Amino acid sequence: PPTHTAAELNNLVHRAHAAGLSVVIHAIGDAANRAVLDAIEQAPEGARSLPDRIEHVQLLHPDDVPRLAQLGVVASMQPIHATSDMDMADRYWGTRCQYAYAWRSLLDSGAALAFGSDCPVETLDPLAGIHAAVTRRRAGGQPGPEGWIPGQRLTVAEAVDAYTMGTACASGETHLKGSLAPGKLADLVVLSRDIFRIDPDEILDTRAEMTVFDGQIVYRTSA
């Protein structure tokens, strides 16, 4: 059951927007996501410095896919959830799964994707998430070469962008983070392989050789 009634949710979002605050709301099912989008649509625009955000966005009705972009709502999603939960999703959502973990549909609609891990529920490793976003397969290859609902797969570049610029967009820090550019923080990793060129399955065997935080080396392998 929902944590809040529609009236309660509408009131909370209205009060937040009226006070100049953005909302971050967890929603998984298609009804929950529609309720959140309805509440945001009905609330006053307000003078907010950050975009509204929905955490998880795991299932959408096709009519609601374009609404995130239309309302400026960030889709904060965790790619590893798709491969972890696909059996359960098929069991309970059936044909609705065509719009489950719908990264391609959301990105093509113009929505901002912000990828994360949901750690400690899932692994903190972003490379595992990138692999899931690109292949929609588990480490063992399930459910097959094309992956689960392959039409929702992303390219490596799109997945990396969701982990970098997408998250900077969600935090209102695109001027400071998300890309390597003059005036921004030098936050980066040096990987053991070029994930833009290797077979996507090899992403899982890729490791961080060096981590740079704000221009300072904070980790490097002993080799």
Side-chain angles (χ1 to χ4, degrees), residues 80 116-126 128-129:
I80 201 72
S117 67
D118 207 33
C119 181
V121 175
E122 298 284 1
T123 176
L124 185 64
D125 184 5

Side-chain angles (χ1 to χ4, degrees), residues 23-190:
V23 295
V24 179
I25 304 174
H26 288 235
I28 292 177
D30 48 0
N33 279 292
R34 174 166 289 183
V36 172
L37 291 168
D38 287 347
I40 291 173
E41 186 172 36
Q42 295 168 27
E45 183 62 30
R48 293 166 290 123
S49 60
L50 297 176
D52 291 318
R53 191 167 90 231
I54 301 179
E55 286 293 326
H56 306 314
V57 202
Q58 290 184 12
L59 183 67
L60 289 165
H61 187 283
D63 291 346
D64 291 326
V65 170
R67 297 180 69 196
L68 282 88
Q70 292 165 1
L71 297 171
V73 176
V74 172
S76 178
M77 305 177 76
Q78 300 75 31
I80 201 72
H81 281 167
T83 49
S84 292
D85 299 347
M86 59 186 180
D87 295 334
M88 181 171 57
D90 279 332
R91 185 180 310 120
Y92 292 105
W93 292 342
T95 57
R96 289 186 292 163
C97 285
Q98 294 302 311
Y99 291 94
Y101 314 89
W103 313 313
R104 168 58 56 204
S105 295
L106 284 166
L107 193 63
D108 287 352
S109 75
L113 294 179
F115 280 171
S117 67
D118 207 33
C119 181
V121 175
E122 298 284 1
T123 176
L124 185 64
D125 184 5
L127 291 168
I130 292 171
H131 173 267
V134 172
T135 68
R136 291 180 75 102
R137 296 196 307 268
R138 293 175 178 160
Q142 302 89 346
E146 294 301 310
W148 183 62
I149 313 175
Q152 295 295 351
R153 293 181 306 195
L154 298 180
T155 67
V156 173
E158 290 166 339
V160 170
D161 188 71
Y163 271 104
T164 53
M165 283 301 292
T167 54
C169 172
S171 64
E173 296 178 301
T174 53
H175 65 289
L176 187 64
K177 301 176 182 178
S179 63
L180 296 176
K184 292 190 177 186
L185 297 177
D187 295 346
L188 60 99
V189 293
V190 178

